[in-house]
Amino acid sequence: MASTTSTPRGTSHRPDPLTLEVVELIGEVVARFHEDYEEAAAEHALTGAQARLLTLLCLEPLPMRRLAQRLKCEPSNVTGIVDRLEARGLVERQPAPSDRRVKVAAPTPEGRRVARSLRESLRFAREPLAGLSEAERVALRDALRGMLG
């Protein structure tokens, strides 16, 4: 009779070939997405970091410290990025609604337009995904959500 005990996470065991192939494919998808994202950002005269920050702010205005946490960088780097985006009229600093002593960065209407255009210009993920049926896209979305917990 076959054993039904599973190997605990974190213990040494060799992944099966299918798992190794999936890991390699995920790595390739991530690399190609980043490449496409950097190209799309450059088409809008933005760095990748500026584009990511602008995209985050379109979800919700955030204080510098929270932006730094989300971008996994130092608050001083975020301040510089916000300064450059503010100089281009894409971001503005506003008092936080909950505490007027705190400043949050928020996109301007032009910043929202640029972020929307940036998203629309991403080709890598959109084109292959369009070739999948809705059921396949739902299954892929659910599998990715499951991986992220």
Side-chain angles (χ1 to χ4, degrees):
M1 189 171 203
S3 171
T4 58
T5 58
S6 63
T7 306
R9 231 180 208 189
T11 61
S12 253
H13 71 284
R14 294 182 61 83
D16 63 274
L18 178 58
T19 299
L20 289 173
E21 183 180 7
V22 169
V23 168
E24 288 295 320
L25 289 169
I26 289 171
E28 190 172 330
V29 166
V30 168
R32 289 181 63 191
F33 178 79
H34 280 294
E35 186 178 301
D36 190 34
Y37 197 87
E38 293 291 329
E39 287 175 13
E43 289 172 12
H44 293 82
L46 297 170
T47 66
Q50 289 171 335
R52 283 187 293 281
L53 188 142
L54 186 58
T55 300
L56 270 176
L57 292 179
C58 285
L59 298 174
E60 66 177 317
L62 293 167
M64 302 300 161
R65 188 166 307 284
R66 292 265 316 279
L67 276 168
Q69 290 169 342
R70 295 254 179 101
L71 294 172
K72 296 179 181 15
C73 67
E74 294 296 317
S76 59
N77 292 345
V78 169
T79 300
I81 295 169
V82 169
D83 287 346
R84 287 185 285 285
L85 291 172
E86 192 173 36
R88 287 189 53 191
L90 302 176
V91 168
E92 62 187 0
R93 289 175 169 90
Q94 305 171 340
S98 59
D99 183 350
R100 300 193 60 76
R101 296 169 296 174
V102 175
K103 295 284 187 197
V104 296
T108 62
E110 177 65 7
R112 286 187 184 283
R113 188 197 65 72
V114 168
R116 185 175 44 258
S117 177
L118 174 70
R119 277 191 313 277
E120 290 169 357
S121 67
L122 292 173
R123 291 171 292 281
F124 168 69
R126 185 179 61 234
E127 290 169 5
L129 286 172
L132 299 177
S133 70
E134 183 176 355
E136 289 170 323
R137 289 192 312 270
V138 167
L140 178 59
R141 179 203 61 201
D142 293 347
L144 292 170
R145 283 182 177 169
M147 287 179 68
L148 294 171

